[in-house]
Amino acid sequence: MCLACTKSSPLNVVYHPEQNPALLSDWKVIQVKDQGLQLGNNVMAYDLVTPLFSDYAHKLRTVWLPEGTAANYTAPETFDFPVGTIISKTFYYPRVPGSAVQDYRVMKADDTSASRLLDGFDLNSVRLIETRLLIHREQGWVALPYVWNAEQSEARLQRTGAIQSVNLLDVDGNTQTFPYIVPNTNQCVGCHATNATTKTLHPIGPKARHLNKSYAYRDGEQNQLEAWKQSGILTGLPEAEIIPANADWTDSSQELEQRARAYLDINCSHCHNQNGPADTSGLLLEPDAPHGPSLGLCKLPIAAGTGTGDRKFGIVP
């Protein structure tokens, strides 16, 4: 089974244990080739059941582990990845045909899997904005933002972040201009430091409930967790019936409550949990948060004070 999204890729990933290379291509995780994208050897693309919303941007997610190592399955937490792991997330927008170079289409969901996308990825039809790397080093996880140049030939490290003007065209033909903000390295802590006490960075997406879905690999559809196990990068995977799975928020055939809980989980629970930066709000949005005030139902605005506009409750069912 070919689990990377490239065929006979000559790219061997380079893990930098201390240095922060100026160019994304120095990592050999992803690079431009023939007006398309190429992934390095043993770099696996993956999807989330319900993805984090980021100003309608599409995302190509990848993971790479050093040869001979594997992540340890843990639930409900993020998998325990070995030192040397590199996780990437590339943000991009589909272009509007025949329009200005900064005009992009709004898509309500990632409706094209990354593997299919790479098969026909044409940089003339999309605009690469940024690629964020999470690197697991001896001292912990490090976040590095790389911003793609206008030619879409290379991405350069921007530790201070960046702002890019983007025009989004919705399905009704309405255009809205907004500043797309690439976070600086300190701002990455705002989401990825999921424990307010330790303030250490952790990945958010690679959890069992977010990854437990089928994925369109070149050799056919397969559950992502099973594929990770077969490729040797995941150990300790339990029987399928006990692995948690979030709902797909775009799937109207699933229960509305489960779709809403999945959306709040991936977008908010990394802060809104018992130990997170938003723990003082009293609003807990993890999948196992019980019904009641902690889920927002008739919850008093304990932390917001006058910022609530003198409202007494957050949500009144």
Side-chain angles (χ1 to χ4, degrees):
M1 174 180 290
C2 178
L3 293 178
C5 286
T6 53
K7 298 179 180 178
S8 302
S9 170
L11 285 179
N12 291 317
V13 174
V14 179
Y15 165 65
H16 299 271
E18 296 180 357
Q19 299 83 6
N20 298 323
L23 302 178
L24 179 63
S25 59
D26 290 333
W27 294 90
K28 308 300 183 190
V29 171
I30 183 173
Q31 72 173 21
V32 173
K33 182 180 181 181
D34 300 328
Q35 277 303 104
L37 289 181
Q38 179 186 34
L39 300 186
N41 283 326
N42 300 317
V43 174
M44 291 185 64
Y46 67 92
D47 281 339
L48 304 184
V49 180
T50 285
L52 181 74
F53 176 80
S54 303
D55 291 328
Y56 294 102
H58 287 236
K59 299 160 196 171
L60 167 62
R61 301 171 180 84
T62 74
V63 61
W64 177 86
L65 280 67
E67 185 176 358
T69 67
N72 184 41
Y73 177 94
T74 54
E77 295 84 10
T78 301
F79 295 158
D80 182 15
F81 288 95
V83 170
T85 299
I86 303 174
I87 296 175
S88 80
K89 185 161 61 172
T90 298
F91 296 71
Y92 68 94
Y93 290 99
R95 293 187 187 274
V96 176
S99 186
V101 294
Q102 73 273 21
D103 287 349
Y104 312 111
R105 290 184 291 114
V106 167
M107 303 295 286
K108 293 185 179 180
D110 290 335
D111 58 352
T112 305
S113 75
S115 60
R116 292 193 183 109
L117 179 66
L118 284 170
D119 281 331
F121 204 105
D122 180 7
L123 294 184
N124 293 312
S125 62
V126 302
R127 171 58 176 155
L128 303 176
I129 302 292
E130 60 164 322
T131 295
R132 302 177 192 175
L133 297 185
L134 273 177
I135 304 103
H136 196 189
R137 291 174 169 164
E138 289 286 351
Q139 70 273 26
W141 289 92
V142 177
L144 298 177
Y146 287 82
V147 178
W148 286 88
N149 59 21
E151 297 77 22
Q152 300 201 107
S153 59
E154 181 64 271
R156 182 171 292 274
L157 179 63
Q158 295 279 2
R159 296 183 66 104
T160 57
I163 299 178
Q164 299 200 18
S165 180
V166 172
N167 297 335
L168 288 185
L169 184 70
D170 66 21
V171 292
D172 296 321
N174 301 313
T175 301
Q176 179 176 347
T177 301
F178 75 99
Y180 180 98
I181 299 176
V182 178
N184 62 50
T185 53
N186 292 329
Q187 289 173 319
C188 294
V189 176
C191 287
H192 286 277
T194 55
N195 187 302
T197 301
T198 64
K199 293 183 171 60
T200 56
L201 271 67
H202 294 280
I204 295 172
K207 299 177 181 177
R209 63 183 183 270
H210 299 319
L211 294 173
N212 192 3
K213 62 165 288 187
S214 179
Y215 186 87
Y217 296 100
R218 278 202 167 91
D219 295 336
E221 296 274 344
Q222 186 180 14
N223 182 276
Q224 290 186 126
L225 297 176
E226 282 294 332
W228 284 31
K229 176 184 176 181
Q230 290 183 19
S231 71
I233 67 170
L234 180 64
T235 62
L237 185 68
E239 296 298 321
E241 57 268 17
I242 65 173
I243 301 176
N246 271 3
D248 177 354
W249 79 282
T250 66
D251 185 356
S252 59
S253 68
Q254 301 187 48
E255 293 186 8
L256 178 60
E257 178 178 336
Q258 296 307 313
R259 294 161 60 197
R261 293 293 294 264
Y263 189 88
L264 292 171
D265 178 22
I266 188 62
N267 281 280
C268 313
S269 70
H270 45 274
C271 284
H272 285 274
N273 63 74
Q274 292 280 8
N275 302 307
D279 57 351
T280 58
S281 70
L283 182 63
L284 306 178
L285 297 174
E286 293 178 298
D288 57 353
H291 277 262
S294 64
L295 193 59
L297 304 178
C298 296
K299 186 189 78 66
L300 298 175
I302 27 184
T306 57
T308 65
D310 295 325
R311 292 177 174 83
K312 295 182 179 180
F313 301 103
I315 302 172
V316 179

